[in-house]
Amino acid sequence: MKKIAAIFLIAGLLLLACGGGEDTASQPDETDSQAVTEGQDTAVEETPIETAPPPLYPEGTLDPSQITADTPVSVVALFESYFVWDGKKVTLEGYPRIPYIDTMIVEDELELVAEPGDREALATISFTDYPGITVRSDQLVTVSGTIEYYWTGDIQLVDGVIIEDAPPAQSGIVTSPYVYDGDTPILAGEFFDMFNVWSGREIIVDGNYHSTTTSTTSYGVTVRVDLSDPNDTYSKYVACEMLEEIPEGTDSLMVANREGTQIRGTVEGESFSMVGLVNCQLVNR
């Protein structure tokens, strides 16, 4: 019996020496537990990502400010840039053009000028529903509508609506037809300059020679050279009214070598649904 007791005593001492048979790895460490808890409670600060505004002139479009009188411009790019406002909604602020009197009732049409009493209308707005609103010549009016190109090049808005209690237009808005939202009021005078950015500018156009038209009237002989898209030779984009008749040899050269015909001229406006240039001269033929 003494031997048995001694054996149990030794076994008990061995168990105590080994940790009493308990698995210490299963016990959570207080330091580790606190570290996990502190990590979970700590707020992670996120750096805000700044999104760059969209470019005023997306890739593949023409930025008029980058074009000089000696920069050859594709006839397609010029055509698209010249007529880009067509069908777009705009909101304009200006003064009513009211000749000879101080007030008028707006019925089917309203003209806007830059300053009270100006004679030159900057935009004409046509209304589907008659507003029947009385306006003064010295009263700022905000009007929205859809641009509809007119052969004279004047700004014409259709489906017009008078916007009451509109925020005032800010001078010097930097925008383009590609990013303008249609609702931000623009001063009529500033929009007139945006709309007519190409008018009166001397440029060089580059395209395929399409045809030459010679017209004889009481004013004399007019020679017009039309240029087309190199990828769509049937569609004409630019009409160039030449300064003088084209020599027969030069005309034959253009017919034989149509691609890359360059003509210098001054943008005057719309011409037979094309961009019209006047005072034109051949550059490379």
Side-chain angles (χ1 to χ4, degrees), residues 7-18:
I7 291 171
F8 278 108
L9 178 60
I10 292 171
L13 291 173
L14 289 173
L15 287 171
L16 289 173
C18 294

Side-chain angles (χ1 to χ4, degrees), residues 52-282:
L56 292 179
Y57 294 90
E59 185 177 356
T61 62
L62 204 59
D63 182 352
S65 67
Q66 302 301 312
I67 305 302
T68 69
D70 297 316
T71 306
V73 175
S74 157
V75 294
V76 179
L78 177 63
F79 179 89
E80 292 175 348
S81 179
Y82 185 85
F83 292 103
V84 67
W85 286 104
D86 192 26
K88 291 186 180 293
K89 176 187 175 183
V90 297
T91 301
L92 305 181
E93 178 186 279
Y95 293 94
R97 179 178 178 273
I98 310 176
Y100 313 117
I101 55 177
D102 295 328
T103 64
M104 66 174 288
I105 298 175
V106 181
E107 296 182 347
D108 60 337
E109 191 173 273
L110 176 67
E111 294 177 324
L112 293 182
V113 295
E115 298 293 338
D118 284 356
R119 295 185 177 183
E120 182 182 359
L122 301 177
T124 301
I125 300 90
S126 299
F127 300 92
T128 303
D129 299 323
Y130 294 178
I133 297 174
T134 300
V135 294
R136 304 187 313 274
S137 60
D138 62 351
Q139 173 188 350
L140 278 172
V141 178
T142 303
V143 181
S144 71
T146 302
I147 293 287
E148 185 176 84
Y149 270 89
Y150 196 57
W151 69 272
T152 61
D154 297 331
I155 300 174
Q156 303 278 332
L157 271 64
V158 297
D159 300 326
V161 177
I162 293 179
I163 310 297
E164 299 187 63
D165 301 322
Q170 301 299 314
S171 178
I173 290 179
V174 178
T175 188
S176 79
Y178 301 100
V179 300
Y180 175 59
D181 60 15
D183 296 317
T184 302
I186 301 178
L187 294 172
E190 293 187 4
F191 182 76
F192 183 86
D193 293 336
M194 292 182 200
F195 185 82
N196 292 286
V197 66
W198 291 107
S199 296
R201 291 185 59 167
E202 183 182 18
I203 60 173
I204 296 175
V205 289
D206 183 296
N208 266 37
Y209 169 74
H210 182 279
S211 57
T212 299
T213 303
T214 302
S215 304
T216 302
T217 65
S218 58
Y219 298 99
V221 177
T222 300
V223 178
R224 192 187 82 226
V225 173
D226 296 339
L227 299 180
S228 63
D229 177 5
N231 299 315
D232 179 13
T233 56
Y234 293 101
S235 298
K236 299 185 292 185
Y237 289 91
V238 173
C240 304
E241 185 176 312
M242 310 303 291
L243 272 174
E244 55 190 7
E245 294 188 54
I246 301 173
E248 184 177 343
T250 303
D251 189 63
S252 300
L253 179 62
M254 287 194 296
V255 173
N257 184 18
R258 295 176 181 270
E259 294 184 2
T261 302
Q262 294 185 354
I263 298 178
R264 182 190 297 276
T266 301
V267 179
E268 184 178 51
E270 185 269 347
S271 176
F272 301 97
S273 300
M274 295 177 280
V275 182
L277 273 63
V278 295
N279 302 325
C280 296
Q281 293 177 305
L282 287 163

